[in-house]
Amino acid sequence: MKITVVGTGYVGLVTGACLAEMGNHVVCLDHDADRIDMLHSGQLPIHEPGLLDIVLRNAHSGRLEFTSDVDHAVTHGRVQFIAVGTPAGEDGSADLQHVLAAAKAIAERMLDDRLIVNKSTVPVGTADQVHEAMAAVLRARGQSARVDVVSNPEFLKEGSAVQDFMRPDRIVVGADDAQAAQLMRQLYAPFMRNRDRFILMDIRSAEFTKYASNAMLATRISFMNELALLAEKLGADIEQVRTGMGTDPRIGTHFLYAGAGYGGSCFPKDVKALVHAAQEAGQGLRILQAVQAVNDRQKQVLVDKIVARFGPDLHGRRFAVWGLAFKPGTDDMREAPSLTIIEHLLARGAKIAAYDPVALAQARRVLGERPGLHLVGQATTALEGADALVIVTEWKEFRSPDFAHLAATLRQPVIFDGRNLFEPADMSALGLEYHAIGRGTP
C-alpha cells in the first residue's frame, strides 16, 4: 500500500518505518530540511532502540523515503497519516495549527480520493475540524475528490516504541465510514497475525480514548507518589505496599512505582489538554487537577530532601546527578524531573555534575551553558568531589554500581534516590546514607 506520513518526529518516524517494514511503500514528509538531510544521511533525530536498523533497511530497499516535497508526498499516498506536534498552549489546550495546516496542504494538492488518518494526539472533535477544513479547500478548488478522516491514536512508549508498534496490545480506530474502516483493518492486518487487536469505534470515542488512557496512567503515578509521602510519615515502605497492592488482579503491577514525578511529551501535555477540554465543556475534572498538582510537587521532593540534609544554602556544595531524560530508553527531556531538580539546586548555589547515557546532547540544547552545571561523559566522573549522589532516571547501568568506589569517591557517602533502585537495609550495611521515596529513610 502507498502511504504518506506527515511529520518525522517521534510518532511519525516510528509509524512510517514500521509500516514500511511490513512491505508498504512509505513517504515521510517534513518541512524541516535539516531533519530530512539527517535522515538521508542515515541518522535519527530521536533516540529509540531498534529504530535505526529498520529505517536503514527500508530506506535501502526503497520502501521508505524522506522528503520535504509536499507535492510528491500528497500525490504518493492513498492513505495520509498526520503525525505532527500538538503542543500545549498557555491555557493547556492542544495547539492544532500544525494538524490543520497539514490537512489543508493535502486538500490543496489532492486530485483523487484520500484517507486522512489522525495519528497526532488531538482533542475530541478534531477529526470534524480536519474534514471541514479540507472540504472547504476542495470546494474552493472545484475538486470533487472524496476525503475521509479517521482517528488512529498512538499508544507508543518511548524506549519500546518499535516493539509497541510491531506487536501492539490494541489498535484503536475511530471511523464513521465502513470502507475507511476496512482499509485501516487491511493496513494493520500484518500486525495482528496471532489474534485480532483491531478495536473499531466512533471517531470521537477514539480521540477520547487516547486522552483517557494517558490520564489514567498519570493518575496512578501521582496516586502512588502521594501515598509515598504519607508512607514516610507513617513509617511504612511504599515498595512493600506496592507489592501488596499489585498482586490484586483488579489493580495490577503497572505504573505503581513511586518516584520523582512523571514527564515526557505525553502525560503532562495530555492531562492539561483534557482538563482544558473539560473546562470548555463546563465539566470540571478535579481528580486530574489534583494529579497535575501532585506531580508538580513531586518533582521537588528530592530537592526538599537535599535541603533538609544540607540546609537551604547550598553554596560550596556539589552534587552528582545520574539521569537527565524523563525515563530510561530515550533522550527526551521534555518536562523531565531532572530539569526542576537542577534549576532548584543551582538557584540555591549548588554546583552539579550531571550524567546520562544518551541524553547529554539533548541536555546541552535544553539547558545550555549554566554557571555551576557540568555535563560529564561518565557516571563515575560525576561522583568526583560531590557531596552526594542524586539519582533521577532509572537507567539499567545505575542499578548495580560499584558501591565501594561510590562511597570512596563522594565527599560524603550520601545517596538521594528518586527511583527507589536499592534496598535501604543494604545501603545501611554498606555504610551509605540513603534517602529514597516513601521508604522511611532519614
Side-chain angles (χ1 to χ4, degrees), residues 4-8 27-31 36 65 67-70 73:
T4 293
V5 178
V6 183
T8 60
V27 170
C28 291
L29 170 70
D30 203 295
H31 66 82
I36 295 298
E65 301 177 37
T67 185
S68 55
D69 184 340
V70 181

Side-chain angles (χ1 to χ4, degrees), residues 111-123:
L111 299 175
D112 47 15
D113 297 351
R114 289 289 180 270
L115 174 60
I116 308 302
V117 183
N118 272 345
K119 199 70 174 171
S120 301
T121 300
V122 294

Side-chain angles (χ1 to χ4, degrees), residues 281-300:
Q283 174 69 50
L285 291 178
R286 287 178 289 178
I287 290 177
L288 288 187
Q289 289 174 329
V291 167
Q292 289 178 298
V294 169
N295 192 58
D296 290 342
R297 173 70 183 83
Q298 196 69 19
K299 290 181 179 182
Q300 300 183 51

Side-chain angles (χ1 to χ4, degrees), residues 259-260 302 305 389-392 415-423 434-437 439:
L302 283 182
K305 290 178 178 291
L389 167 63
V390 184
I391 301 174
V392 185
I415 299 176
F416 296 92
D417 184 358
R419 299 301 173 185
N420 288 348
L421 297 184
F422 314 122
E423 287 298 318
Y434 184 61
H435 302 261
I437 304 293
R439 310 204 67 182

Side-chain angles (χ1 to χ4, degrees), residues 339-368:
L339 297 176
T340 299
I341 292 167
I342 288 171
E343 290 286 356
H344 281 268
L345 292 180
L346 290 176
R348 291 181 177 275
K351 293 184 178 179
I352 296 170
Y355 165 75
D356 189 283
V358 303
L360 288 178
Q362 184 68 14
R364 290 187 180 94
R365 287 191 289 268
V366 172
L367 292 166

